[in-house]
Amino acid sequence: MSRVRIPFFLLLSLLLALPGYAQQPAAPEAAPPAKPLKLTRRERKELARRAELDIARQQVRVLSEKDREMSESFFVEGVKFVLLEDYNKALERLLKAYALNPTNAAINYKIAETNLLSGNLKDATNFAQVAVKLDPKNAYYYLLLAQIYASQKQYDQAAKVYTSLIRDVPESGYYLFNLADLYMAQGKLSEALATFEQAEKQFGPLDEVSFKKQQIYLKQNNLDKALQEGETLIRTNPDEVRYVIAQAELYASNNRLPDAIRVAEQALKQDPDNPQARMILADIYRQQAKPAESEKQIKLAFESPALDIDEKVRILLDYIKQLPNPALGQTALELAAITTRVHSHEAKAFSIAGDIQTLTDHKQEARDSYLKAIRLDNSKFQIWQQVVLIDAELNQVDSLLRHTDRALELFPNQAPLWYYNGVALMLNKQTAKGIKALEYGRKLSLDNPELLVQIDTQLGDAYHEVKEHAKSDASYDAALAFDANNAQALNNYSYFLSLRGEKLDKAKEMSGKLVKQFPDNDTYLDTYAWVLYKLKDYAGARTSLEKALKTTNDATVIEHYGDVLFQLGEKDRALAEWQRAKKIGGASNQIDRKIKDSKLYE
């Protein structure tokens, strides 16, 4: 026999509606009470929800016209202060509006929003929950509550809010996308996938949904499904080559190279100049050990302006990391040349070309590239520094002086520029100006000990030139205090002391230390020999010079050898060495007198 099932909450309402229910006498012989009906979970939730709404509605107070106007006034002022981001004043006004009208959904919503903006998430949650209960058909209230939960990383609660919104508010299906994204952020991929599929049933196929489903399938290691989504994107967007490219990349990244080649070539049929397709093919051919094919494709990609300069720079940086490498150097140079031709108004194109040319030992070309970069953008100190370093390396003093002067106009606080400017002035026989530049650079280098050593060493040379020997010695001592093995300081200091005939024991110690470190360096051997000469150790000087002469044909070394031979009584041999030194060129200004008089002059 069938029985009609009456919901429990309806029975309860009927019972409560009976007049004098509590005072009714019991029936004389009442039948046993019927067993209560068991509610489903959904019915229990609905009962609780309706009870909350009934309570809220019962609390609604009838406002006087004056209270209504005051509440609205406080509300408007509060909103104004929210817009001005003065949240304390905003809450002060909004709470006054709330005191007058606590069951107004809009007021609760605005208080919740203001608390969220000011970082009070607990109160924001409470007021947002009330706003939703008071007006369960307003989508904005749900969205705010979901945002508040998400801000507290309560993603499950936020998802429940979205679910309620979609279920209870008409025409809210498009929030399925928000819910799916929330699931993805939580790593709930199955739930996200199901939500996206629900959205597709409601709104039809969407490119963005297909793309996100593809990402989910990839995270689930379901390559076949991901590829199917890719094919769907291509089929539904036949003119969109980007989806073809994405499919080729997906094949390539999963080592399905023949398929990747097929799809990349399909992209090139649609867009013959597409650089991304070329780059995919270049990478595949590289993996297949086909360097010629790979190089061809990457050069074709670089010829396209559609491959932007930043991407080309990134690729060239990968080449730079592998240089110098004879197998890659020429390709890197050619790609750099293409880049500067295609992007002739981009400073970074010439800058990266200069870096590659420097590493492949094309210094002159590198400097030209850097100077072109500077003409397009002179604000990069590093590029100026590269120009100056190449000038110094090529020993082109005029260029070094010109470029450091120009660079110092832009970067007057860069100590390295003052150092190289001082060196250039010294080499250009402008010693006084060189000393000023070096001294200024020294003041800027107090926190850079390595540069300070170089400046002190150079100042030692400079002060020697102007015969300020005490300053010269102090500069060398300062350099050696930090770097006791500084070769230039050890060599020049000991040599200048020998020329002055001062502190010869110290000079011998320093030059001897240097020869011990570099026993075959003819310059250091010559310095050591001259210190020994000044100490009248002519035999020791002879040994050192003869060793030096095995690797050099320098006129100064030869002249020194002649001087030593003269002191040892071998005057004819001495004269022959002096004559040889004069013939080579570069001997001292005493060489002619020595030869003419067959006599030693010092």
Side-chain angles (χ1 to χ4, degrees):
M1 181 175 67
S2 64
R3 181 170 60 183
V4 176
R5 184 176 184 186
I6 302 174
F8 177 67
F9 60 84
L10 181 56
L11 289 172
L12 180 63
S13 300
L14 291 171
L15 287 171
L16 290 173
L18 291 174
Y21 171 74
Q23 289 78 28
Q24 294 296 317
E29 295 180 359
K35 186 176 181 180
L37 295 177
K38 185 176 181 181
L39 298 179
T40 66
R41 182 178 180 184
R42 183 172 182 179
E43 287 170 339
R44 288 198 303 273
K45 287 180 69 176
E46 179 65 17
L47 178 61
R49 188 179 73 82
R50 291 191 181 187
E52 288 177 349
L53 288 175
D54 288 340
I55 292 170
R57 290 186 183 112
Q58 289 168 16
Q59 293 175 347
V60 175
R61 55 184 290 188
V62 178
L63 295 180
S64 67
E65 184 65 21
K66 181 180 178 181
D67 285 348
R68 185 186 63 76
E69 290 177 356
M70 287 182 65
S71 176
E72 289 178 356
S73 176
F74 284 131
F75 180 79
V76 170
E77 282 192 47
V79 171
K80 179 187 72 174
F81 283 116
V82 170
L83 294 173
L84 294 173
E85 299 183 6
D86 190 339
Y87 302 126
N88 289 332
K89 289 183 179 179
L91 281 172
E92 179 188 345
R93 270 59 169 190
L94 291 170
L95 288 171
K96 287 180 179 179
Y98 174 82
L100 293 167
N101 193 2
T103 56
N104 183 286
I107 294 175
N108 280 273
Y109 167 79
K110 209 63 186 178
I111 293 174
E113 181 187 44
T114 307
N115 277 300
L116 172 62
L117 293 170
S118 61
N120 186 353
L121 298 179
K122 182 178 179 181
D123 286 347
T125 304
N126 294 333
F127 281 99
Q129 287 173 337
V130 172
V132 169
K133 290 173 184 176
L134 290 170
D135 188 355
K137 298 300 181 183
N138 191 313
Y140 292 105
Y141 299 172
Y142 289 91
L143 294 174
L144 177 63
L145 182 57
Q147 182 184 356
I148 293 168
Y149 280 131
S151 299
Q152 300 173 83
K153 301 188 187 311
Q154 297 180 19
Y155 300 118
D156 288 337
Q157 291 297 107
K160 288 178 183 178
V161 172
Y162 275 118
T163 302
S164 298
L165 166 61
I166 295 161
R167 181 192 65 222
D168 298 335
V169 179
E171 299 182 358
S172 295
Y174 44 86
Y175 292 117
L176 285 164
F177 303 111
N178 300 62
L179 178 59
D181 287 339
L182 186 61
Y183 282 137
M184 285 187 71
Q186 292 178 263
K188 294 184 175 181
L189 302 181
S190 297
E191 291 89 337
L193 193 59
T195 306
F196 278 131
E197 288 174 348
Q198 184 181 346
E200 282 187 319
K201 288 178 183 177
Q202 186 169 345
F203 298 102
L206 295 169
D207 293 351
E208 183 179 356
V209 171
S210 291
F211 179 76
K212 288 183 177 180
K213 285 172 64 180
Q214 188 179 55
Q215 302 310 303
I216 292 172
Y217 287 132
L218 288 173
K219 289 178 181 179
Q220 293 177 331
N221 293 318
N222 192 338
L223 179 61
D224 290 338
K225 282 280 190 180
L227 289 168
Q228 284 178 20
E229 289 296 330
E231 293 297 337
T232 299
L233 284 168
I234 293 171
R235 185 172 58 255
T236 55
N237 299 274
D239 297 326
E240 285 282 1
V241 72
R242 61 194 173 105
Y243 293 127
V244 184
I245 294 295
Q247 190 79 337
E249 288 176 340
L250 187 55
Y251 277 123
S253 62
N254 286 278
N255 206 34
R256 292 179 54 172
L257 302 186
D259 287 321
I261 292 173
R262 170 180 58 78
V263 178
E265 288 176 344
Q266 177 185 338
L268 288 173
K269 288 178 182 177
Q270 289 180 242
D271 180 7
D273 297 323
N274 189 284
Q276 282 78 24
R278 299 287 182 192
M279 293 301 302
I280 291 170
L281 290 172
D283 189 56
I284 293 171
Y285 290 139
R286 180 188 58 79
Q287 293 180 57
Q288 293 178 334
K290 297 178 179 179
E293 291 89 336
S294 177
E295 184 177 329
K296 176 184 176 182
Q297 292 298 329
I298 197 170
K299 285 179 181 177
L300 287 170
F302 267 57
E303 290 284 357
S304 172
L307 187 65
D308 68 40
I309 180 63
D310 291 327
E311 180 64 13
K312 289 173 182 174
V313 168
R314 186 193 65 75
I315 294 166
L316 291 174
L317 283 172
D318 287 338
Y319 277 90
I320 284 175
K321 292 174 185 176
Q322 302 175 70
L323 295 176
N325 182 338
L328 297 175
Q330 188 57 38
T331 300
L333 286 168
E334 291 176 12
L335 291 175
I338 294 171
T339 303
T340 57
R341 174 164 46 77
V342 175
H343 302 277
S344 58
H345 298 293
E346 289 279 1
K348 62 184 74 174
F350 292 98
S351 176
I352 196 76
D355 292 344
I356 290 172
Q357 289 158 342
T358 298
L359 290 170
T360 53
D361 203 28
H362 292 74
K363 299 294 174 62
Q364 189 79 41
E365 294 90 335
R367 185 177 61 181
D368 291 342
S369 292
Y370 289 134
L371 289 172
K372 289 175 181 176
I374 285 171
R375 281 197 286 273
L376 293 166
D377 179 4
N378 66 2
S379 67
K380 303 294 188 295
F381 166 69
Q382 292 81 358
I383 300 178
W384 282 103
Q385 189 173 38
Q386 287 297 101
V387 170
V388 167
L389 289 171
I390 293 174
D391 286 338
E393 191 173 345
L394 296 176
N395 199 28
Q396 296 184 358
V397 178
D398 290 342
S399 294
L400 181 61
L401 186 56
R402 183 172 66 255
H403 292 144
T404 52
D405 281 340
R406 286 177 57 197
L408 283 169
E409 292 176 5
L410 298 168
F411 309 100
N413 294 323
Q414 286 290 346
L417 293 178
W418 286 106
Y419 168 71
Y420 282 109
N421 186 251
V423 170
L425 288 166
M426 292 290 300
L427 293 172
N428 208 32
K429 307 301 181 185
Q430 300 180 59
T431 307
K433 288 184 177 180
I435 289 174
K436 287 184 178 180
L438 292 167
E439 287 176 339
Y440 192 77
R442 193 181 195 285
K443 292 177 183 177
L444 297 172
S445 304
L446 298 180
D447 60 346
N448 186 346
E450 289 80 9
L451 180 58
L452 198 58
V453 168
Q454 295 182 57
I455 292 175
D456 280 331
T457 301
Q458 200 65 42
L459 278 170
D461 296 351
Y463 286 132
H464 172 80
E465 286 293 318
V466 295
K467 303 189 184 310
E468 293 191 40
H469 300 312
K471 288 185 176 181
S472 176
D473 292 356
S475 296
Y476 286 131
D477 286 333
L480 292 170
F482 181 80
D483 181 6
N485 294 313
N486 185 280
Q488 183 181 344
L490 288 170
N491 182 71
N492 293 7
Y493 193 9
S494 55
Y495 185 65
F496 293 150
L497 287 175
S498 72
L499 292 180
R500 286 154 43 196
E502 298 175 6
K503 305 176 189 176
L504 293 176
D505 288 337
K506 182 175 183 176
K508 180 180 178 181
E509 180 184 353
M510 291 189 295
S511 59
K513 179 180 181 179
L514 198 54
V515 166
K516 188 173 182 180
Q517 293 176 20
F518 305 97
D520 298 320
N521 186 293
D522 49 72
T523 298
Y524 302 156
L525 286 166
D526 177 56
T527 297
Y528 184 58
W530 202 242
V531 173
L532 295 177
Y533 178 88
K534 287 291 187 173
L535 288 167
K536 302 189 184 307
D537 181 1
Y538 302 125
R542 177 177 188 165
T543 300
S544 185
L545 286 168
E546 287 177 347
K547 188 173 183 182
L549 287 167
K550 291 178 180 178
T551 57
T552 186
N553 206 27
D554 183 82
T556 299
V557 179
I558 295 169
E559 183 179 0
H560 283 170
Y561 185 49
D563 294 350
V564 169
L565 292 173
F566 188 91
Q567 294 285 11
L568 290 170
E570 299 183 32
K571 297 182 180 180
D572 291 341
R573 288 194 62 194
L575 179 60
E577 294 301 324
W578 290 336
Q579 289 171 337
R580 186 159 73 99
K582 177 179 172 58
K583 185 176 180 181
I584 291 172
S588 74
N589 55 13
Q590 298 286 353
I591 193 69
D592 289 332
R593 290 181 67 196
K594 291 177 183 180
I595 293 171
K596 180 181 178 182
D597 300 337
S598 296
K599 184 179 177 181
L600 180 62
Y601 293 98
E602 295 182 356

